[in-house]
Amino acid sequence: MKLTKYTHACVRLEKDGNVLVIDPGAFSEAEEALKGAHAVLITHEHNDHIDSPAVLAALRSNESLVVHAPAGVATALKENSDIAARVHVAEPGSDFQAAGFGIKTFGGQHAVIHHQIPVVANIGYLVDGNVFHPGDSFVVPDGLDVKTLLVPIHAPWSKVGEVLDFVISVRAPKAFPVHDALLNDMGRGLVEGHVTRIGSRYGTTYQSLAPRDSVEV
């Protein structure tokens, strides 16, 4: 399939004429990513992962578009009765089809930022047994081998050592960045240098992508 990265956490996957978008957030080129999409997966409710006005506009302009999201996100979207039937609740430990892609879900909880900040639901999605987007979590999919890992390389809830442990634990042959909009060039070089060097010791080839870059996975 073709994977296109957008700014921060958003990616677009294309296969056999079908288009799946994950986490079109407010930091991303959400409208562009959603153009012509058949399904959207949302990992959690934070606005850097879902640009609600953009998602609602896409649902209203494209009657074939469906959304899968954790219960809180789905409930909020379903308040718009005209699109409610095309919004589905995603729960951890489930399997379903979305726009011709096979989806498995993992996790259930956003990583802790601080004990005074409430923890929200978070779903990690494995697409076609290939691409894993963890959202804001370092949950490791169990019972299978991930081929392509999307790595949250920088976040308020993580440190570099945890990013490296995540890459080492999953041991996917390929890895690409997500959750990187808050990094400047110096910070990106530092983090990606560690991920590239240490990931390679465990069989992972890491490749940096800029917004709108595409690769075949």
Side-chain angles (χ1 to χ4, degrees), residues 34-180:
L34 290 165
K35 186 176 181 180
H38 300 96
V40 178
L41 306 179
I42 304 297
T43 62
H44 66 284
E45 65 189 50
H46 293 159
N47 73 344
D48 57 328
H49 293 258
I50 175 170
D51 181 339
S52 294
V55 171
L56 286 170
L59 282 163
R60 287 173 173 141
S61 65
N62 178 1
E63 294 185 355
S64 67
L65 183 64
V66 299
V67 175
H68 298 264
V73 179
T75 298
L77 291 173
K78 282 176 175 288
E79 291 177 359
N80 301 272
S81 59
D82 56 323
I83 54 87
R86 290 183 282 129
V87 178
H88 308 283
V89 174
E91 297 179 344
S94 62
D95 296 77
F96 58 89
Q97 293 285 317
F101 295 84
I103 310 297
K104 290 182 178 290
T105 60
F106 297 87
Q109 179 176 296
H110 189 289
V112 175
I113 302 171
H114 187 269
H115 65 272
Q116 295 191 40
I117 299 175
V119 174
V120 301
N122 181 93
I123 302 293
Y125 297 101
L126 179 71
V127 181
D128 276 355
N130 181 348
V131 178
F132 183 59
H133 192 311
D136 281 9
S137 169
F138 287 136
V139 63
V140 176
D142 57 280
L144 48 82
D145 294 323
V146 174
K147 297 180 178 64
T148 306
L149 179 63
L150 302 178
V151 184
I153 62 171
H154 176 264
W157 42 269
S158 73
K159 59 184 181 182
V160 173
E162 294 171 331
V163 175
L164 297 174
D165 285 342
F166 179 59
V167 173
I168 291 168
S169 295
V170 178
R171 301 197 185 196
K174 298 179 182 179
F176 303 98
V178 289
H179 217 282
D180 53 358

